[in-house]
Amino acid sequence: MTSIVSVLPNRPLSFVRNIALAAGLSAAAMTAVPAFAQDQASITAIGSITMEGRGTVSVAPDMAVITTNVVTTAETAADALSENSASIAKVIDAIKGAGIEAKDIQTRGFGIYPRYERITDGSNRQPNIIGYEIRNGVEVNVRDLTKLGGLLTLVVESGANSVDGIRFEVSDPEEKLDEARKKAVEAARHKAEIFASAAGVELGNIMTITETGTQMPRPMMMRAEGMMMAKADAVPIEAGEETIGANVTIRWSLK
């Protein structure tokens, strides 16, 4: 005969007893009911605790990216291009001479733009082209920040007349992120142990662990002010610090 206990595993004790009596079970058969109900109670009494943890790592940027340009104007596009090409070649040579490898120098933002006359007589006629502007730039990865200030001055002295900005970066963010993840797990466990101790229980095994978010360094832009001076001391640079973070949510069973 199939046990009524196994058929109705999740019913209250009183319900199981009533079903047993209705089925005409003997008193001996019913003695198994209390023991089963106690087992069920012990199982459902096991709880869990869920905690969030956050870990952060402060890291100083170890590289910078600058974009410097040469802008030239002339009456014809050919003349503007010839002058621009000669000037940007000098800038690139100066950058390489400062110890920057060719792989860290990339052409960016080349363009030819017509320049139009200003119409001052109030007519609706189309303005005439009076010349051309050539803009050609290079993006440079500076992996040694001690060279950055001197390099900014150097590119201006060698012919660059526009520096769009400086972007500071961390070259190995994933490695630092792993450190933040470890700290996040430690923080979550620390809080869980405090709560469990206060409640008079012990942590069991981890049931689930989920990464709920990360914080990676966002490139910090810095405008290169005062870069149009023909001669200058090395530009003062402060890279500051970036924060890399990770959030986790962990669920433990309770003993």
Side-chain angles (χ1 to χ4, degrees), residues 88 186 217 234:
I88 196 67
E186 292 171 358

Side-chain angles (χ1 to χ4, degrees), residues 20 24-31:
L25 293 182
S26 65
M30 292 182 61
T31 58

Side-chain angles (χ1 to χ4, degrees), residues 49-64:
I49 183 171
T50 302
M51 282 293 161
E52 294 183 355
R54 175 167 175 77
T56 59
V57 175
S58 295
V59 56
D62 57 0
M63 67 175 292

Side-chain angles (χ1 to χ4, degrees), residues 41-49 189 192-193 195-197 199-207 251-255:
S42 66
I43 292 174
T44 56
I46 295 176
S48 64
I49 183 171
R189 175 175 286 278
E193 288 174 345
F195 276 83
S197 176
V201 295
E202 294 183 22
L203 293 182
N205 295 327
I206 290 178
M207 302 171 69
R251 183 185 179 194
W252 286 267
S253 63
L254 295 175
K255 295 182 182 179

Side-chain angles (χ1 to χ4, degrees), residues 130-164:
I130 59 174
Y132 291 87
E133 176 183 289
I134 304 291
R135 176 179 290 268
N136 194 3
V138 289
E139 185 178 87
V140 184
N141 295 327
V142 184
R143 302 184 186 278
D144 182 355
L145 292 183
T146 62
K147 297 180 178 180
L148 181 56
L151 183 64
L152 288 171
T153 302
L154 179 63
V155 295
V156 173
E157 292 178 346
S158 61
N161 51 13
S162 172
V163 178
D164 287 347

Side-chain angles (χ1 to χ4, degrees), residues 4-253:
I4 197 168
V5 172
S6 63
V7 174
L8 303 168
N10 297 317
R11 297 295 186 177
L13 176 59
S14 59
F15 180 85
V16 176
R17 285 183 180 275
N18 291 337
I19 293 297
L21 290 172
L25 293 182
S26 65
M30 292 182 61
T31 58
V33 175
F36 167 78
Q38 291 174 2
D39 290 343
Q40 285 296 103
S42 66
I43 292 174
T44 56
I46 295 176
S48 64
I49 183 171
T50 302
M51 282 293 161
E52 294 183 355
R54 175 167 175 77
T56 59
V57 175
S58 295
V59 56
D62 57 0
M63 67 175 292
V65 181
I66 64 173
T67 302
T68 182
N69 305 277
V70 173
V71 182
T72 56
T73 59
E75 291 185 2
T76 67
D79 288 343
L81 180 60
S82 177
E83 181 182 345
N84 186 280
S85 296
S87 296
I88 196 67
K90 292 180 180 179
V91 172
I92 293 174
D93 287 342
I95 294 172
K96 291 180 178 178
I100 305 299
E101 297 183 23
K103 67 177 183 179
D104 288 325
I105 305 172
Q106 186 175 31
T107 297
R108 285 294 176 91
F110 177 83
I112 303 176
Y113 309 96
R115 301 175 65 228
Y116 295 93
E117 66 173 332
R118 295 183 60 186
I119 298 178
T120 59
D121 58 8
S123 65
N124 293 325
R125 65 181 178 84
Q126 292 295 322
N128 296 317
I129 295 175
I130 59 174
Y132 291 87
E133 176 183 289
I134 304 291
R135 176 179 290 268
N136 194 3
V138 289
E139 185 178 87
V140 184
N141 295 327
V142 184
R143 302 184 186 278
D144 182 355
L145 292 183
T146 62
K147 297 180 178 180
L148 181 56
L151 183 64
L152 288 171
T153 302
L154 179 63
V155 295
V156 173
E157 292 178 346
S158 61
N161 51 13
S162 172
V163 178
D164 287 347
I166 307 168
R167 186 173 75 248
F168 292 104
E169 295 183 352
V170 178
S171 61
D172 57 346
E174 287 298 330
E175 179 181 340
K176 302 300 182 182
L177 179 58
D178 287 343
E179 293 182 27
R181 285 167 171 154
K182 293 176 182 178
K183 290 186 176 182
V185 172
E186 292 171 358
R189 175 175 286 278
H190 177 69
K191 289 194 294 184
E193 288 174 345
I194 291 176
F195 276 83
S197 176
V201 295
E202 294 183 22
L203 293 182
N205 295 327
I206 290 178
M207 302 171 69
T208 60
I209 180 168
T210 305
E211 183 175 68
T212 54
T214 59
Q215 175 187 347
M216 298 296 282
R218 288 181 294 181
M220 298 186 298
M221 293 300 298
M222 167 185 163
R223 299 300 301 176
E225 303 293 344
M227 292 298 297
M228 301 307 296
M229 298 176 62
K231 296 290 183 180
D233 294 332
V235 178
I237 297 296
E238 295 292 337
E241 281 192 344
E242 288 286 336
T243 299
I244 297 177
N247 294 351
V248 296
T249 300
I250 307 176
R251 183 185 179 194
W252 286 267
S253 63

